[in-house]
Amino acid sequence: MPSEYGFYGTLLEINLTEGKINQKKLTPDLIENYLGGRGLATRILYENIDPSCDPLGEHNVLVIATSPLLKTKAPTACRGHMVFKSPLTGMLGSSNCGGTWASRLKSTGYDALMIKGKASQPVQVDIQREKTEIRPAAEVWGKDVHQTTDILSSQKNSSPSPGILTIGPAGENLCLYSAVMNDKNRAYGRSGPGAVFGSKNLKAITVTGKMSPPLKDKERFQSGLDQALYMMKAAPITKRLLRELGTSGLLKLIHLMDMLPHQNFQDNLHNMKELDKISGETLRESILERVGACYGCPVACQTHTRVGEKKGEGPEYETLVMIGPNCGIYNLKAVALANYRCNELGLDTISLGGTLACAMELYEKGILDKKTTGGIPLNFGNESLLPRLVDLIAYRKAFGEKLAEGSFRLASDFHHPELSMTIKKMEIPAYDPRSSFTQALGYMTSPTGACHLRGGYAVSLAFFGGTKEIPRFSIQQSPLAIRNMQNLGIIQDSLGICRFTGFAFSTEPWARMMSGATGMDFSTSQLQKISHRIASMERAFNLQAGLKEEDDCLPDRFSHESIGVEGKDKLISPELIQRMRRDYYQSRGWSPKGKLSTLIRADLQLNKRYT
Amino acid sequence: MNERKWRIPSQIIRLFQAVGRASLLYDIQDSHSGNMALKHRDKKGREQLIITASGSQKGDLEPQHLCALSPNKTDFGYYKASSETDIHSRILNLKGINASLHAHTKDLVIATLDPERKPNHPAPFIPADPLGYQALGIIPVDWFRVPSGSPEMIQKIPQRLKDHSATVIQGHGVMTRARTLQEAFFLACVANNSGYIFRLLEKHGVEIEPLRKKIVSDSYSCFSFPAPYTLQDDHSCDFSHEEELVKEFQKTGARIFESRLSPFHTGSFSLRGVKTMFYAPKASMPRELGGPLLEKSLEKKNSDGYEEKIHKEIYSQSNFQTAMHCYIPEAEVLTHISPPGTNSPPDRLVPVDAEGSFFYLVIPILSSPPEMDSFLQLLHDYKVVIVRGGGVWAVGEQSLSEVLHHPSSVREICLYRLGARERGLDLGKMEPAKAKKW
């Protein structure tokens, strides 16, 4: 196995149909051009998949990649990135996760893992430096995430202990927004990777190893590290706020900015006393047991909570709002319990909340009734329904069969697709796009559908971006602002680091750490170029999967039903959508219809095979 | 003069008030010092001389503190008008001149003091900074037995201002003349800035005469980004529909001026969109005086000014959304001070203060005119670059606030470094070891 600085140059390919395991060489220029993580995984995927394939069929491919910064002291560098064709959107599925699993994957001596084919029976994959095996998973198939993790951990009495990546019943039952979990509660949540695992009869992947590639230039690495750590200790968000309140501490701030959705994004009106019941401050005082951290993370934003006898993690801000106020629910314990259950069953809480909210609106508008819902009164605010609904969805039972398809298919089946708050069929997260042109454009142009992370987290730019704060209703600034935020996200996902570092510093320390780790010369401008390349690579995949300009759009509600923002009625008109979208395309060097230019295609070298 | 003539148009009152307040903010006036005058034609086409009243407080001018006089004959308005009215009146008779301003430019006054027995003929002041020389050229300095409103001043100063845009009354202040009051204020600010730079260079033992000789012999070779003062509508705005951004631009311009990051109406900053950039060509702009806010195509054109070209060049080769250019006097001074143990001009500024050295281990210094590729590369890598004789350039990834932070920090870094040097501290020991390798 070739050993390079910062990476091994090795991809592990597992073909479940044939039961074959291969090691493939990854050349250093792949790292130079795509960094690692998201960039590396997307390139490998593109070379090994037909983007028009059936996402739940045998020909879908799933790639998980690490970065050269994993297994170094780089703060928060523990994250893996998973790409595949999404069964929810039919476009690129792209999901990022913390915890410990990705670092443990790197400890096995592989930079990336590619899963192809479909096993004839449920299997688990066991990866070790010396040997990789595909084993039957009959014992854990049907078990939830926590049970599976406990069983597989107890089976492997190894040191170090194994990292376990698994799906729950939601993935096995092909719920279109099912997640892949590690460390029990950390999720590759969005785009439905759990269903892709399930469709391949792949239950879990365990990884065990002790390897760690050497650093090329320790001094250069250290200079970047010193600066990064200093900045993280200096910035209140990374040094204290996230640790003390978790992401749920955002709730009141987002409400004050008139951005907190209510009842399927019908408005943004909330009673402050109701919000007090579910705020981050209340979470800390009522259900928080302790904080926790991902591997190598000084931020420690994990909230380990307890409701009665039940222990779990969260809720995070997104979960809190999507299952809470967006469904008209202001009961912290009810949301926390639903969150715990989603983690056990392996469900994306954002899409779950968005789907439930859509169903509730359909119900309250009389489009659904008890006959269609199997007797369930799906009113907004009906928190007592949550435990039952989550289980019905994960097991696709009764009305859960419809809900497991996500809100777009649900609303379309009942002839009201306009009530699905989705983009590219993916549910919009917990920030109302009418409150920020920049965020709206981010949702529209995210390669994976409505995602605040892949689409660019404009919220921080508008409300807590420090010197980088920008106006939220600037037509001039929004396209480039969101493009730059997306690029920053691409760099972070590709380096395997957490979004939260962006609250303390930008890319300069990462450029130094990456250069020190690999011995390659990564300047900030080079990171920018690479992020552009990765964005176009993702676009290339989506275009081949059938993406059209009109898919980069918002639901009609946001163009026709205004909300009050800072005392003014706000909408995103169709004309504005079109203008910002065109400007965004131009900022990427794409055609007015969002196609790749010859120049960009040449840069991508789409016909070249790195793997 | 009849009573009606005292009705000075409100826009002129506001202009005088704005320039008065700005001069006080920039510390080129004390409470009652200085005066300013403007040639004006009323609605009937009659020429008027509008001038500040004697003893008026320039920072708090009320309408009654402005006098509208007949330019060529005495009328009752002279009871109230500035004691230097006759000087202004003659200056305003110069061809093409519409405004004049007298200010107590303290740094320039100090820089032009001499210990010679009086009367004497003081040496003219030659700015040691290219910006000052480019805007003002050589500034005459004259000693007057009675240095306020005296007949000899009435005779001498307008003569001086025939050929020069500014002249110094030794031990008293500067007199400038221009096409507009804003331009006259600009000249006074730049002149004082030159005096300030001279003082700092002298204090830090920099040989000034070679610098001056070089500038006089070929100022353009020393000056990267010449920007002659242009007359534009300072309240024009091409992007008034972008309310939030207009506010950001006004706030940023005011901050540059008030925080002394660049003399009045010097420098530039911009924010790019996809096809166009919003551009403030007179970056340092107090709120009430403003400066043009333009929307410019990002396409490069032969007709683009040099300053505008740089902004477009930055954007064409980067993802940066904002760019800024300021003339920070302290930074210009430090580009001429050799690092400890060397005799050559520095290629980097090394902060010695805690926060400065944390944010910027080094700040690159380039000679004028800089080679564009390395200038852009350094901007990419360091976000801020000092050009010897050409000011400070900075870029931001997202916002105007972000790009403003760089020159603001640079000024502070420079002040600490100069201060430490003045105290005789060993800068070599204070500089982080890593900075020497960068």
Side-chain angles (χ1 to χ4, degrees), chain A residues 49-122:
Chain A
I49 192 174
D50 172 2
S52 65
C53 70
D54 172 7
L56 294 177
E58 183 182 2
H59 297 295
N60 199 355
V61 175
L62 191 143
V63 182
I64 311 170
T66 67
S67 108
L69 292 183
L70 264 66
K71 297 293 290 177
T72 70
K73 289 179 180 171
T76 77
C78 69
R79 303 182 75 84
H81 203 92
M82 187 182 289
V83 296
F84 46 92
K85 181 166 181 180
S86 164
L88 182 67
T89 66
M91 300 293 154
L92 178 68
S94 187
S95 202
N96 191 278
C97 184
T100 60
W101 190 86
S103 294
R104 291 174 201 261
L105 171 64
K106 188 146 183 198
S107 301
T108 63
Y110 299 109
D111 300 297
L113 169 65
M114 176 162 63
I115 309 283
K116 288 180 162 178
K118 176 180 180 178
S120 55
Q121 292 175 36

Side-chain angles (χ1 to χ4, degrees), chain B residues 385-405:
Chain B
V385 171
I386 303 171
V387 180
R388 188 176 295 111
V392 175
W393 282 87
V395 287
E397 289 172 7
Q398 296 286 15
S399 69
L400 283 177
S401 173
E402 178 192 4
V403 73
L404 172 67
H405 187 258

Side-chain angles (χ1 to χ4, degrees), chain A residues 385-399:
Chain A
L385 297 175
L386 288 177
R388 186 176 163 205
L389 284 171
V390 173
D391 274 55
L392 289 178
I393 290 168
Y395 290 99
R396 279 189 178 264
K397 288 184 177 166
F399 192 60

Side-chain angles (χ1 to χ4, degrees), chain A residues 219 230-231 467-469 473-477 480-481 483-484 506 508 524-525 528 532 583 586, chain B residues 242 244-245 271-276 278 319 321 358-359 380 383 397-399 401-402 437-438:
Chain A
E219 196 179 341
Y230 181 99
M231 299 290 270
T467 60
K468 291 187 181 175
E469 271 186 23
F473 298 111
S474 169
I475 303 168
Q476 172 86 350
Q477 198 164 4
L480 288 175
R483 182 203 65 182
N484 288 355
S506 186
E508 295 91 342
T524 53
S525 56
Q528 285 295 331
H532 262 313
D583 281 355
Q586 188 174 343
Chain B
E242 288 266 11
E244 291 173 310
L245 284 182
L271 182 148
R272 77 179 291 192
V274 176
K275 300 178 185 76
T276 62
F278 291 170
N319 283 343
Q321 263 208 95
F358 174 69
F359 281 118
H380 255 299
K383 308 289 182 287
E397 289 172 7
Q398 296 286 15
S399 69
S401 173
E402 178 192 4
K437 290 191 226 162
W438 279 37

Side-chain angles (χ1 to χ4, degrees), chain A residues 283-284 286-291 303-308 310-312:
Chain A
L283 183 151
R284 179 182 58 190
S286 60
I287 62 171
L288 182 67
E289 280 208 322
R290 65 180 174 86
V291 297
T303 50
H304 294 257
T305 53
R306 175 196 280 264
V307 177
K310 193 90 176 166
K311 284 186 178 182

Side-chain angles (χ1 to χ4, degrees), chain A residues 224-428:
Chain A
L225 176 62
D226 288 347
Q227 186 169 16
L229 290 174
Y230 181 99
M231 299 290 270
M232 290 179 81
K233 283 177 191 164
I237 296 178
T238 47
K239 83 173 167 189
R240 191 178 68 243
L241 192 135
L242 284 165
R243 181 179 302 225
E244 294 186 8
L245 295 183
T247 55
S248 57
L250 271 174
L251 186 92
K252 286 186 183 174
L253 177 65
I254 298 302
H255 171 58
L256 288 174
M257 298 301 164
D258 298 317
M259 208 173 191
L260 196 72
H262 181 230
Q263 297 192 348
N264 202 31
F265 290 87
Q266 291 185 81
D267 58 61
N268 58 351
L269 305 172
H270 306 269
N271 181 321
M272 201 61 173
K273 282 185 182 169
E274 294 286 301
L275 288 181
D276 272 336
K277 294 178 188 170
I278 57 168
S279 68
E281 293 83 351
T282 302
L283 183 151
R284 179 182 58 190
E285 286 152 19
S286 60
I287 62 171
L288 182 67
E289 280 208 322
R290 65 180 174 86
V291 297
C294 295
Y295 180 83
C297 178
V299 177
C301 71
Q302 292 177 4
T303 50
H304 294 257
T305 53
R306 175 196 280 264
V307 177
E309 292 305 305
K310 193 90 176 166
K311 284 186 178 182
E313 279 190 46
E316 303 283 347
Y317 167 80
E318 302 293 338
T319 308
L320 189 63
V321 177
M322 293 305 288
I323 300 180
N326 197 42
C327 290
I329 293 170
Y330 297 87
N331 182 324
L332 180 60
K333 290 181 179 173
V335 175
L337 287 170
N339 189 171
Y340 297 166
R341 193 63 183 143
C342 285
N343 288 349
E344 289 165 1
L345 298 172
L347 280 163
D348 169 26
T349 54
I350 298 176
S351 280
L352 177 118
T355 303
L356 290 181
C358 172
M360 288 170 171
E361 188 174 354
L362 287 166
Y363 186 84
E364 293 212 339
K365 287 197 154 80
I367 300 158
L368 297 180
D369 55 24
K370 280 190 181 173
K371 201 172 162 188
T372 44
T373 64
I376 303 171
L378 270 171
N379 298 96
F380 282 115
N382 194 344
E383 64 209 33
S384 64
L385 297 175
L386 288 177
R388 186 176 163 205
L389 284 171
V390 173
D391 274 55
L392 289 178
I393 290 168
Y395 290 99
R396 279 189 178 264
K397 288 184 177 166
F399 192 60
E401 179 70 38
K402 289 278 184 200
L403 295 172
E405 294 286 297
S407 67
F408 181 80
R409 291 170 179 83
L410 171 73
S412 299
D413 279 356
F414 291 94
H415 312 294
H416 286 277
E418 77 282 1
L419 297 184
S420 164
M421 297 304 114
T422 51
I423 296 168
K424 301 183 184 80
K425 301 176 189 167
M426 184 191 268
E427 284 70 22
I428 295 176

